[in-house]
Amino acid sequence: FPDDPFVRTYKEEFSKRHAAIIIKEMAENHRPHKALKRPLTHSPFNLQWARSLLGHLEGIVKKNPECATDFSMLFYFLDFFEEALYILNYAPSTSATDWLRLELKILSRRYVDAIEEARSLEQKYALDPEATFATTYARALCLWELGQESLAISILQGIIKIRPQFRSAVSLLQQWRLELT
């Protein structure tokens, strides 16, 4: 009876369990590497192209600041994080642009600036409980990259104690522990 809702439910549960087993096996057999410390290298030609595009788009966003977030995302998807951050400065301040700015600062390896941005966002969005977790998570990422591994791990452990399912905190903690061994 393929249309029986109970059979469909059992099949979906089996698929989820099977996927979880495969992911667990892959995670156990794969030694991860630090995601943020990998150097991003763009060819001189690509850098010249990005800077040229940035100059052109800067003229557009000065006249139409509402386009700045879209252009920032363009650079983000192309892994030109500094350029994305620069063009985002023309965007009107919204919740989305605030959080994107924090992420871009982390990705462009401006860790001290990102910690300050996280502190600012934590105050600005103090009434939102998700903001506290997000800024704390960002702070842990920055501290890890700045070489403060033990502090970063303790911060991440604090997040996991309160909200074990927050983002990828558990897998990130496992990754960090593997890197320290």
Side-chain angles (χ1 to χ4, degrees):
F1 303 102
D3 294 330
D4 186 9
F6 293 113
V7 172
R8 189 176 306 134
T9 303
Y10 291 134
K11 186 176 179 182
E12 288 173 4
E13 288 175 6
F14 174 78
S15 296
K16 288 178 185 178
R17 285 193 312 270
H18 183 66
I21 290 169
I22 291 173
I23 291 170
K24 181 182 175 190
E25 288 173 355
M26 291 294 290
E28 289 173 352
N29 296 330
H30 175 65
R31 184 177 172 92
H33 55 287
K34 285 191 178 181
L36 296 177
K37 282 195 176 177
R38 287 182 300 176
L40 281 178
T41 55
H42 295 289
S43 70
F45 176 78
N46 286 347
L47 283 172
Q48 182 182 5
W49 172 83
R51 298 292 157 85
S52 173
L53 181 61
L54 180 66
H56 177 70
L57 294 179
E58 186 177 14
I60 294 173
V61 297
K62 283 181 179 177
K63 295 176 186 171
N64 302 311
E66 64 278 356
C67 298
T69 305
D70 294 332
F71 292 142
S72 178
M73 291 303 296
L74 167 75
F75 283 115
Y76 176 88
F77 289 133
L78 295 173
D79 291 338
F80 288 101
F81 304 120
E82 287 286 339
E83 291 78 4
L85 186 58
Y86 180 80
I87 208 80
L88 188 65
N89 289 326
Y90 290 99
S93 182
T94 65
S95 174
T97 58
D98 290 343
W99 293 107
L100 179 59
R101 184 172 291 108
L102 174 62
E103 184 172 348
L104 288 172
K105 285 184 178 182
I106 293 170
L107 291 171
S108 61
R109 294 170 180 79
R110 294 178 163 193
Y111 303 119
V112 176
D113 288 344
I115 290 172
E116 288 301 315
E117 186 77 23
R119 185 174 294 126
S120 170
L121 291 177
E122 192 170 25
Q123 291 172 355
K124 185 174 182 178
Y125 298 104
L127 298 177
D128 182 9
E130 292 298 315
T132 303
F133 288 104
T135 55
T136 305
Y137 185 86
R139 196 174 300 119
L141 286 172
C142 293
L143 290 170
W144 176 263
E145 295 297 323
L146 290 170
Q148 307 251 341
E149 288 93 357
S150 61
L151 182 57
I153 286 174
S154 68
I155 289 173
L156 206 54
Q157 287 172 332
I159 292 173
I160 292 169
K161 284 180 185 174
I162 300 169
R163 300 258 317 265
Q165 301 302 323
F166 186 76
R167 290 194 185 178
S168 59
V170 173
S171 62
L172 182 61
L173 183 61
Q174 289 173 341
Q175 177 182 340
W176 285 355
R177 287 181 175 155
L178 282 174
E179 289 180 22
L180 289 177
T181 58

